[in-house]
């Protein structure tokens, strides 16, 4: 458990999964178990389900959010969803720069920073994802990659640094069943916090840095025991209420 004032955040990333019927059961399960969880719980869902999630979770301690947001405020951007729209559905969070968006939708570090800034300016908390590929790790480039990804975000945030959530998600661990060891993850989390501290030492202590990549009930405890791992961004295991809650209880 982190020895700090940072409140653990366990956030689900449903990705492009769900249906009205399956969401209903999942949300009921999460809501029912949430009161017994001491940390914070959130689910980041496909945008078309936000109304359903808002009505299922309103009045519960569970927060919700989206998985992407436009860098623009409004206008001729077909297919995009704005931060203001997400707010109308009661969102607290939005994931930005997930590796699936960086690789399948060619999102650049600069675009990710603009999205994070737009989210924050609207009152949403961005969960900014960074992480290296297997090839980059094998080349010893992990620190350089996450630094390059995070730098424009930190430039864009400046005074609001403390309001950001960062997620370290090694690409090779996402959906693969291969988790970074707690030591490997802690090393990168400490590096990220040091980068934050170079900008603002006080805020750096408040920023929550989540680990993501095959976090499951059986490996969550050891990961979350590390001093700079303040929670998890959970993909596959967030689609099952009891697994998701078990991870939250490990925190
Ligand atoms: P996973 O996904 O838990 O299924 O590995 C994590 C993520 O991509 O956020």
């Amino acid at each position: 458990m982190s020895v700090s004032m940072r409140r653990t955040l366990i956030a689900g990333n449903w990705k492009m999964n769900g249906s009205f019927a399956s969401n209903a059961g999942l949300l009921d399960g999460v809501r029912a178990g949430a009161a017994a969880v001491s940390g914070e719980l959130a689910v980041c869902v496909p945008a078309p389900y936000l109304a359903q999630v808002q009505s299922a979770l309103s009045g519960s301690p569970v927060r919700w959010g989206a998985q992407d947001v436009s860098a623009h405020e409004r206008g001729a951007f077909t297919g995009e969803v704005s931060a203001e729209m997400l707010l109308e559905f009661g969102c607290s969070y939005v994931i930005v720069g997930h590796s699936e968006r960086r690789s399948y939708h060619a999102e650049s570090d600069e675009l990710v920073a603009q999205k994070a800034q737009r989210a924050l300016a609207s009152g949403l908390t961005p969960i900014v994802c960074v992480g290296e590929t297997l090839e980059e790790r094998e080349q010893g480039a992990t620190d350089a990659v996450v630094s390059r990804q995070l730098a424009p975000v930190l430039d864009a945030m400046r005074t609001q640094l403390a309001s950001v959530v960062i997620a370290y998600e090694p690409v090779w661990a996402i959906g693969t069943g291969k988790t970074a060891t707690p030591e490997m993850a802690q090393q990168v989390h400490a590096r990220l916090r040091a980068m934050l501290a170079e900008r603002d030492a006080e805020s750096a202590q408040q920023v929550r840095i989540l680990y993501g990549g095959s976090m499951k009930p059986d490996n969550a405890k050891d990961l979350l025991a590390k001093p700079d791992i303040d929670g998890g961004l959970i993909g596959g295991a967030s689609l099952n209420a009891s697994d998701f809650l078990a991870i939250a209880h490990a925190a």
Side-chain angles (χ1 to χ4, degrees), residues 13 15 98 100 169 173-175 212-216 233-236:
N13 172 13
K15 308 195 179 187
H98 190 279
E100 287 152 17
E169 299 206 310
I174 295 175
S214 299
M215 195 187 267
K216 309 282 181 209
L233 185 55
I234 319 299

